[in-house]
Amino acid sequence: MKTVITWLWLLPLPLTFALEALTGSGWLVILADLFALATALPILIRTQRAAAGVTRPQISRLPFAALALILALIPVAAASTLSLTVMWLSLMTVVMLSRWFSTGLQLLLLILLSVGNLVVPGLMPDGINFAFAASTVIVASLSLGLLLRMVDRSLLERQATAAEAERRRMATELHDLVAHEVTGIVVLSQAAARSEDAGILRTALSKIEESGTRALEEIRSLVSDTTSVRQFRCPVPRRLRPPGARRPGEWLRRG
């Protein structure tokens, strides 16, 4: 169901294109629609597939989609009419860019695309009403993208907090375990060093070996339990983690 919902934004596209083709919106509008569908739509689909967790998002391609849609607005403005197809694709691009922009260029294209979709409807007859309606949907798209951006950031912060809490817990348990066993080993070593009795030496060495083996087994058990618990957690999707970031407890496997 979640997968279906994430792709619902594609449904209006054939409807808007068919409506504009059948109502005789003009060849400039049809040309703009075809250009937008051929250039921006594939980028948006690849980005949406990444957002669904199939691959890592190709955020660097989104500015090309925004640029293509800005160019598509030129024939729409020349036709003095409204292209629902271009506007819908622009809204989806605004949502994605406002969610994932990370460079000044991406932010600039986001602003230009938003402003373009406000200006073009204003060039139509009775353009004030159309511009007001366009401003409403543009603001809604920006708000949705920024809301998703905040959700992503909150998820990353919770992941970082969980990782830090797990690291502290592991450090505490390892410290207590190693300190206890090492203290016993030191005491036995000191006792053996002060005695010349071969039996005491053998006993001390045996106890030292047992303590070392027990400590090693407990450390392995602790690491194994941590791995098992981590497998039942819902990890942050790869697309939300910065490059090179480790999952909680993954530092145990370093080295």
Side-chain angles (χ1 to χ4, degrees):
M1 179 60 68
K2 182 179 178 181
T3 302
V4 173
I5 293 176
T6 57
W7 292 101
L8 285 179
W9 63 272
L10 288 172
L11 290 181
L13 290 175
L15 300 178
T16 56
F17 182 75
L19 178 64
E20 290 164 353
L22 295 176
T23 56
S25 298
W27 67 271
L28 284 176
V29 173
I30 300 301
L31 179 63
D33 290 348
L34 292 175
F35 178 76
L37 291 171
T39 55
L41 182 58
I43 297 176
L44 296 181
I45 290 176
R46 283 194 291 268
T47 304
Q48 183 59 53
R49 289 182 68 249
V54 179
T55 56
R56 189 173 182 82
Q58 298 296 325
I59 308 303
S60 60
R61 297 180 181 177
L62 274 178
F64 293 101
L67 181 60
L69 291 168
I70 292 173
L71 294 176
L73 288 174
I74 296 176
V76 174
S80 297
T81 186
L82 184 65
S83 171
L84 296 177
T85 302
V86 174
M87 172 161 281
W88 182 253
L89 289 173
S90 297
L91 294 178
M92 295 302 101
T93 305
V94 166
V95 171
M96 295 183 185
L97 264 180
S98 58
R99 180 181 184 182
W100 287 312
F101 76 88
S102 58
T103 66
L105 176 60
Q106 293 172 354
L107 179 59
L108 176 62
L109 288 172
L110 171 61
I111 295 173
L112 291 177
L113 182 60
S114 301
V115 172
N117 278 275
L118 294 176
V119 172
V120 171
L123 300 177
M124 300 173 53
D126 198 16
I128 295 180
N129 294 331
F130 285 106
F132 178 78
S135 66
T136 302
V137 294
I138 286 294
V139 170
S141 299
L142 285 170
S143 301
L144 177 58
L146 293 175
L147 176 62
L148 292 173
R149 187 182 185 91
M150 292 175 59
V151 171
D152 292 345
R153 183 170 297 179
S154 176
L155 202 58
L156 277 174
E157 291 175 352
R158 289 200 300 270
Q159 181 77 355
T161 301
E164 179 63 18
E166 185 177 23
R167 187 192 67 80
R168 291 181 180 275
R169 181 186 67 83
M170 289 290 297
T172 301
E173 294 188 14
L174 285 173
H175 175 269
D176 295 342
L177 171 65
V178 172
H180 174 73
E181 297 296 344
V182 169
T183 300
I185 291 174
V186 170
V187 171
L188 290 171
S189 299
Q190 290 175 347
R194 295 171 183 173
S195 176
E196 298 180 357
D197 190 331
I200 295 178
L201 290 176
R202 284 194 298 270
T203 301
L205 291 175
S206 177
K207 294 294 184 180
I208 290 173
E209 181 181 3
E210 291 176 3
S211 296
T213 302
R214 184 167 56 252
L216 182 59
E217 290 176 351
E218 291 182 1
I219 291 174
R220 288 175 176 172
S221 176
L222 181 61
V223 174
S224 177
D225 291 342
T226 303
T227 304
S228 299
V229 170
R230 189 171 61 249
Q231 289 175 351
F232 288 98
R233 292 179 179 173
C234 180
V236 172
R238 183 184 174 190
R239 64 181 185 275
L240 301 183
R241 297 199 305 269
R246 291 185 172 90
R247 294 183 179 180
E250 194 170 350
W251 57 277
L252 292 171
R253 299 195 294 270
R254 289 185 298 180

